[in-house]
Amino acid sequence: MLLHDFSEPLGGASHLVQVLLNGLRERDIPVTFLTGDAGRNFRRDDVDLVALGGKPLLERSRIGAFTTGLFNPASLLRLSAWIQQHDTPGTIYHLHGWSKILTPAIFGALRKVAHRVILHGHDYFNGCPNGAFFDYARGEDCTLQPLSRACLQRQCDKASRAQKLWRTSREIARRGALSGGTNVNRMLLIHPEQTRQFLLAGWPRHKLAAVRNPVTPVTRERVPAEAHRGVIFIGRISREKGADLAAAAAAKAQVPITFVGDGSEMDILRQINPAAVLLGRQDRQGMAQAISKARVAVMPSRWSEPFGLVALEAIGSGVPAIINHRALIANEVHSRGLGLSLDTGNIDEFAQALLNLHADDERVSAMSHAGHGRYLELCNTPDDWITRIIEHYRDVLNSSDDRSDADPVSSTFPAMGHHQSEGLRGIQG
């Protein structure tokens, strides 16, 4: 069973859930998909959909968000009923995102099958109350132990102290429902460097394993970035993603910028940079058209992005990326000559980097060729990613306490070759 807030690809994590779902079905592995929303745009008939019909917190009233958003009983009751009726010793429960609709209630139902539960660390909500290990009020990374006295006293939420208390209550509820918060078989991280934060949150090292995200370049052929002029930002138009920083830096450098995505700060972008092109949300073809005209992509997120899917999609397409130095892939990108790592919160430094890249065709060409040829050093192909996740499914079932005489591992998951077994060493070490 795959579990996620959303049934359609509305963001990075929900997109990856769909990639995983497709890959599992291509391998004839049966999938039940429990989703927090109504599933209105879900069109597959080869997947059993359990849609709870819930609304995202941002679409609820303030009272609804603070009550049902704290603990959604529908999640608990529906999943508990499904487990009672359909659970087998060969059933894996792979939970991706719960913070938008499902709430900590989902863990109350999963508690009885915790030894077959895998969490996915797309963010830090399985350890940090605000999901980021970032102090939004001060604009700096947070190194405090979650739920410690110092953490509880610090106002780090992007909105208010009241919301910090609400988010803290959700993390307390999650830990209570899951008998301490780490009572699952394992958590898959999207970058090895996430280990440090989750150890701080009390996770045992042996339950943490990194499986880097899959990346498919937006264009198959290399974009000749050295022949172009202009910046592209792809993603949610929000403060934490640093869209305003990109707009300001492009305006200061007097280079064109195109935004692909939507969000709460569209009007702010227009004020900061009236010349900016705002394309809104685009499908894959629209993204390809936009990126094929760009010289440089930017990922200026204020917080420590645990991966950076849009940056690597651009890099793999041949468009170098400027990445905030806090992102976990930033140094890897910089050291390989695929782009730049810098403090994108410093508008002068950010703008100067844009000017430098626009003035140096040879450097941009070198970055473009390097990124197009070497991006897989920092990520997986979709096929390899799915293979590695299935490895973990097999390992969970092989170590499960309630296996029957029949072998659910062999019957559910196909045999794997030599290179596919290498990923298990990381979780056993």
Side-chain angles (χ1 to χ4, degrees):
M1 172 179 271
L2 300 182
L3 306 95
H4 188 57
D5 286 317
F6 301 109
S7 60
E8 54 187 305
L10 300 176
S14 54
H15 164 73
L16 293 176
V17 171
Q18 296 297 323
V19 172
L20 178 57
L21 190 154
N22 290 336
L24 294 176
R25 291 305 298 128
E26 287 173 356
R27 291 159 175 77
D28 293 324
I29 297 173
V31 177
T32 298
F33 184 21
L34 183 141
T35 176
D37 63 19
R40 293 188 181 92
N41 296 318
F42 192 77
R43 297 288 184 265
R44 301 189 67 129
D45 57 9
D46 61 341
V47 173
D48 292 329
L49 180 67
V50 180
L52 302 186
K55 293 182 179 181
L57 298 183
L58 294 178
E59 296 179 13
R60 294 180 179 272
S61 67
R62 187 175 181 85
I63 294 177
F66 271 73
T67 55
T68 306
L70 178 63
F71 195 88
N72 184 351
S75 300
L76 172 64
L77 296 174
R78 287 287 298 278
L79 180 55
S80 295
W82 191 96
I83 291 172
Q84 181 68 30
Q85 296 174 24
H86 302 289
D87 182 58
T88 74
T91 304
I92 293 286
Y93 298 86
H94 189 172
L95 174 59
H96 289 262
W98 57 266
S99 64
K100 303 295 192 301
I101 302 177
L102 295 175
T103 79
I106 205 74
F107 294 99
L110 291 173
R111 183 172 179 171
K112 65 179 67 176
V113 292
H115 55 290
R116 283 185 272 114
V117 170
I118 295 176
L119 305 184
H120 215 109
H122 297 289
D123 50 38
Y124 294 107
F125 272 116
N126 292 303
C128 170
N130 74 15
F133 280 96
F134 188 73
D135 188 327
Y136 288 96
R138 304 185 188 189
E140 61 188 32
D141 292 330
C142 178
T143 59
L144 300 177
Q145 181 181 4
L147 302 190
S148 65
R149 180 186 294 272
C151 168
L152 296 177
Q153 292 176 341
R154 192 165 182 173
Q155 169 22 35
C156 60
D157 194 86
K158 67 181 72 172
S160 65
R161 178 169 293 278
Q163 185 159 292
K164 166 65 183 287
L165 293 174
W166 175 76
R167 291 191 182 278
T168 298
S169 299
R170 291 196 349 148
E171 174 60 10
I172 292 172
R174 187 194 69 83
R175 296 189 186 195
L178 208 55
S179 302
T182 64
N183 182 34
V184 295
N185 193 287
R186 65 194 68 184
M187 174 147 58
L188 303 183
L189 310 181
I190 62 178
H191 192 283
E193 290 299 316
Q194 286 183 288
T195 301
R196 175 174 52 86
Q197 284 94 337
F198 281 112
L199 289 176
L200 187 63
W203 278 84
R205 186 180 294 273
H206 72 275
K207 290 193 176 186
L208 303 174
V211 181
R212 288 182 184 247
N213 280 344
V215 171
T216 301
V218 182
T219 63
R220 298 186 66 178
E221 301 297 325
R222 183 186 76 88
V223 173
E226 67 277 8
H228 300 154
R229 187 170 184 268
V231 182
I232 187 168
F233 174 104
I234 301 176
R236 189 169 71 253
I237 310 301
S238 64
R239 178 172 172 78
E240 60 266 27
K241 292 295 184 179
D244 60 318
L245 302 177
K252 186 175 184 64
Q254 295 185 340
V255 296
I257 185 168
T258 298
F259 290 88
V260 177
D262 55 26
S264 60
E265 298 209 339
M266 300 290 277
D267 290 339
I268 293 177
L269 295 190
R270 294 186 180 95
Q271 295 173 14
I272 295 174
N273 192 333
V277 176
L278 308 179
L279 296 181
R281 185 183 296 274
Q282 297 287 311
D283 60 16
R284 200 71 175 174
Q285 182 178 358
M287 290 173 58
Q289 290 176 350
I291 206 168
S292 64
K293 303 173 185 177
R295 188 178 183 93
V296 59
V298 293
M299 192 181 81
S301 301
R302 284 180 163 87
W303 74 297
S304 302
E305 289 276 3
F307 191 66
L309 181 63
V310 295
L312 286 176
E313 286 180 337
I315 287 170
S317 301
V319 178
I322 294 177
I323 302 174
N324 186 287
H325 65 100
R326 289 192 174 104
L328 299 188
I329 65 167
N331 287 335
E332 297 172 328
V333 166
H334 189 91
S335 65
R336 287 167 172 79
L338 316 181
L340 301 179
S341 168
L342 53 88
D343 180 6
T344 52
N346 183 328
I347 300 301
D348 289 338
E349 181 182 357
F350 194 178
Q352 188 60 53
L354 292 177
L355 285 172
N356 292 343
L357 290 183
H358 276 78
D360 194 336
D361 293 347
E362 184 176 346
R363 186 183 188 191
V364 171
S365 177
M367 287 181 171
S368 175
H369 281 89
H372 188 250
R374 299 177 58 192
Y375 74 97
L376 283 174
E377 295 178 11
L378 304 183
C379 56
N380 279 301
T381 66
D383 188 66
D384 286 343
W385 181 68
I386 293 162
T387 294
R388 283 162 173 74
I389 288 178
I390 293 175
E391 287 178 352
H392 285 286
Y393 290 174
R394 289 174 59 86
D395 194 42
V396 166
L397 295 182
N398 281 328
S399 63
S400 178
D401 294 333
D402 62 355
R403 290 182 63 202
S404 62
D405 293 337
D407 185 357
V409 180
S410 299
S411 61
T412 305
F413 300 106
M416 297 185 179
H418 171 71
H419 89 279
Q420 296 163 327
S421 66
E422 294 177 355
L424 291 178
R425 289 201 285 268
I427 197 161
Q428 293 171 339

